[in-house]
Amino acid sequence: MKDEAQVVLGIDLGTTATKVVAVDGAYRVVSTVERPAPLHTGRGGEAVHDPEAVLAGVVEAVRESAGICAGRGLTVAALSFSAALHTLLALDSSGEPLTPALSWADTRAADTARRLRAAGSADALHRATGTPVHSMSPLTKLARFTAHEPELVRRTATWCGLKDYVLACFTGRLVTDLSCASATGLLDMRTTRWHGPALDIAGVSAGRLPELVPPTAVFALLPEVAAALGLTAGLPVVAGAGDGPLASLAVGATSPATAALSLGTSGALRVVRDRPGVDERCRVFCYYLADGLWVLGGAVSNAGVVAQWAADSFGGVDLGDLLKEAAEVEPGAEGLIALPYLLGERAPWWEPDARGALIGLRRGHGRAHLTRAMIEGVGQQLALVRDSLLAADAPITSVRATGGALRSDLWAQIVAAALDIPLEITDDAAGSGFGAALLARHALGALPSLTSPVPAARAHRTVTPDPAAARRLAETRALSEQLYQLLRGMPEPPR
């Protein structure tokens, strides 16, 4: 596995695409192949994948990647998986899908999550499982199926994640790795076994869930699948992990107090430590990586989307031009404060019905002020996640940052000021697929430790916070939280 001519294929099952990343023994990305994985949305919050179409896309992408590697004289030594968290589908007794694969974005279980919160059981579940009680979680999705589709529940032999289904098709073993399992809301994070009270709420028994295995578990590629992929029968296939934990591994943010920040359409801030647990107010998640390492953090639903919304709302102005205008506005947006909850919000509120707002609006404010205020609102939200991590005894002293939004100097400067920590910006072209490849090399003995960054994870630039901007944002952060609490009392719009 140390031979540079041997590559590992990291297979990342994302929300909109499957990406296969080939990584050689020197930790260089030698090829990247993508296939679309269309997310089908419908009425009532449906957001699902066709599992068989995703599987076909994986086969195509792996076959193409293997062909590229062979053409360059490289040998594929192993496969490894990454996947978007919180997926769920039902299988019959033959292992055939009975449902589409529900994604994290499927919100049909929102009413179920609200009822659990109203009943007072949400915090206990969150503290036990590390997963917020939210429509994204398989716990709430299963509870909804149990309540509303009893015939489907009766016909279901096994409930699993989308990666579990693809892995079973590749290896003949239906298993769930502990990383993905830790984000279901069904796993006791301290025992790493299924959590009885959560199973009761979901209406499912442990016998109808896959076997739990470590993310480093290794299986053998089935001969018929190997033939279809142009690979060797029996090739090692590593179970893999969730995309968020593997993204932290990919950017070298696995040592204590080093956070991983991703900032695209949405965003997330995560830090790794050697024990599970969340803060007392249940504002952060806690998901497993591997080797006793746990990832604490929070995802925000609104990041780059808020600037694009502003550009669209102002008559389709060019986004780059709008960001340049916003950069001319002083920090604090001349007293304009934004709660940027266009899509509800996840961390630290875990409130899909959170309402956005602009407070302090005056006649002198224009589109540049609004845009800057919205981006500062995203920065404030990430800072609230940072504060929640500190309350969970997970301090942050450095940040490894990735994501398309950070190509904008304005975005990078505002987020650095909000966190009041320099951002070490790294290349994220390979993302979680690169993390999956690193995990495979560790599982097969070539990478001794997951906490030692590989050379490929070096930052290419650093953005330091402006002291005046950091001070201004710190002064208004508590007000942002107070305003959110006040808006929770607003009447709900008709459904």
Side-chain angles (χ1 to χ4, degrees):
M1 285 294 293
K2 293 181 181 180
D3 188 341
E4 292 184 14
Q6 290 190 318
V7 299
V8 172
L9 303 187
I11 305 165
D12 181 28
L13 308 180
T15 304
T16 59
T18 291
K19 180 184 291 186
V20 178
V21 181
V23 181
D24 70 12
Y27 305 109
R28 296 173 300 204
V29 175
V30 297
S31 75
T32 301
V33 175
E34 285 194 37
R35 287 292 186 280
L39 184 67
H40 304 288
T41 58
R43 299 179 63 181
E46 179 185 37
V48 301
H49 292 101
D50 178 342
E52 294 177 336
V54 170
L55 175 62
V58 172
V59 169
E60 288 182 11
V62 172
R63 182 170 58 233
E64 180 177 340
S65 182
I68 292 171
C69 292
R72 296 177 181 177
L74 303 172
T75 301
V76 175
L79 308 178
S80 183
F81 283 91
S82 164
L85 296 170
H86 313 299
T87 62
L88 178 72
L89 71 154
L91 302 179
D92 66 17
S93 57
S94 299
E96 295 298 318
L98 292 173
T99 66
L102 281 68
S103 83
W104 66 269
D106 193 299
T107 60
R108 287 175 289 174
D111 285 343
T112 302
R114 290 187 199 99
R115 284 195 294 271
L116 289 171
R117 288 179 174 276
S121 55
D123 283 359
L125 285 167
H126 192 153
R127 292 188 184 105
T129 68
T131 303
V133 175
H134 186 276
S135 58
M136 67 184 182
S137 79
L139 164 66
T140 61
K141 293 177 170 76
L142 281 167
R144 176 184 170 276
F145 277 126
T146 298
H148 298 290
E149 301 192 45
E151 178 58 24
L152 170 65
V153 172
R154 186 191 65 77
R155 293 168 54 211
T156 298
T158 308
W159 297 94
C160 69
L162 180 57
K163 180 170 79 66
D164 306 337
Y165 170 72
V166 174
L167 183 64
C169 292
F170 271 42
T171 67
R173 292 284 303 277
L174 181 59
V175 298
T176 293
D177 72 84
L178 286 171
S179 177
C180 289
S182 68
T184 61
L186 303 170
L187 188 82
D188 187 318
M189 61 182 170
R190 289 181 171 80
T191 66
T192 60
R193 297 180 180 179
W194 298 120
H195 183 59
L199 297 182
D200 292 341
I201 289 170
V204 65
S205 67
R208 297 175 78 184
L209 298 173
E211 174 190 357
L212 292 166
V213 299
T216 51
V218 181
F219 304 100
L221 187 64
L222 292 171
E224 60 271 27
V225 179
L229 298 176
L231 295 173
T232 305
L235 188 76
V237 181
V238 177
D243 58 352
L246 286 176
S248 291
L249 177 61
V251 298
T254 54
S255 55
T258 299
L261 167 68
S262 58
L263 204 66
T265 301
S266 58
L269 186 69
R270 304 175 299 270
V271 66
V272 174
R273 71 178 188 190
D274 62 0
R275 64 192 187 283
V278 298
D279 65 302
E280 184 60 29
R281 292 172 58 188
C282 296
R283 293 171 293 176
V284 299
F285 59 63
C286 183
Y287 303 147
Y288 191 60
L289 171 56
D291 285 10
L293 298 175
W294 293 83
V295 178
L296 281 72
V300 298
S301 297
N302 305 275
V305 67
V306 306
Q308 187 60 59
W309 169 83
D312 294 342
S313 299
F314 286 113
V317 63
D318 179 78
L319 177 58
D321 291 340
L322 185 58
L323 292 175
K324 289 177 183 176
E325 291 179 23
E328 297 299 317
V329 177
E330 291 294 318
E334 295 185 18
L336 187 58
I337 294 175
L339 302 185
Y341 307 145
L342 303 180
L343 302 172
E345 193 50 283
R346 284 179 284 172
W349 315 132
W350 305 107
E351 179 53 75
D353 297 322
R355 307 286 288 277
L358 288 164
I359 297 97
L361 192 64
R362 302 297 296 271
R363 183 176 181 178
H365 290 133
R367 66 187 191 185
H369 298 84
L370 181 147
T371 303
R372 183 174 191 110
M374 292 292 281
I375 296 173
E376 288 183 345
V378 174
Q380 296 286 50
Q381 203 67 21
L382 291 167
L384 289 168
V385 174
R386 185 270 320 276
D387 294 345
S388 304
L389 287 166
L390 182 60
D393 194 26
I396 297 172
T397 57
S398 63
V399 176
R400 311 277 290 182
T402 63
L406 295 172
R407 287 194 288 268
S408 160
D409 288 339
L410 179 64
W411 268 103
Q413 290 162 5
I414 287 176
V415 173
L419 297 176
D420 201 12
I421 301 173
L423 303 184
E424 301 171 14
I425 299 178
T426 67
D427 182 12
D428 66 340
S432 300
F434 184 72
L438 295 182
L439 184 68
R441 290 195 174 276
H442 175 65
L444 298 173
L447 182 64
S449 171
L450 295 180
T451 58
S452 300
V454 300
R458 291 174 180 158
H460 60 77
R461 69 185 175 108
T462 299
V463 178
T464 57
D466 174 73
R471 187 164 52 250
R472 174 63 179 165
L473 291 172
E475 289 169 352
T476 57
R477 190 164 302 128
L479 179 58
S480 295
E481 180 169 357
Q482 292 166 14
L483 290 168
Y484 159 73
Q485 298 294 348
L486 286 171
L487 286 177
R488 295 184 71 189
M490 287 183 65
E492 288 294 320
R495 295 187 181 279

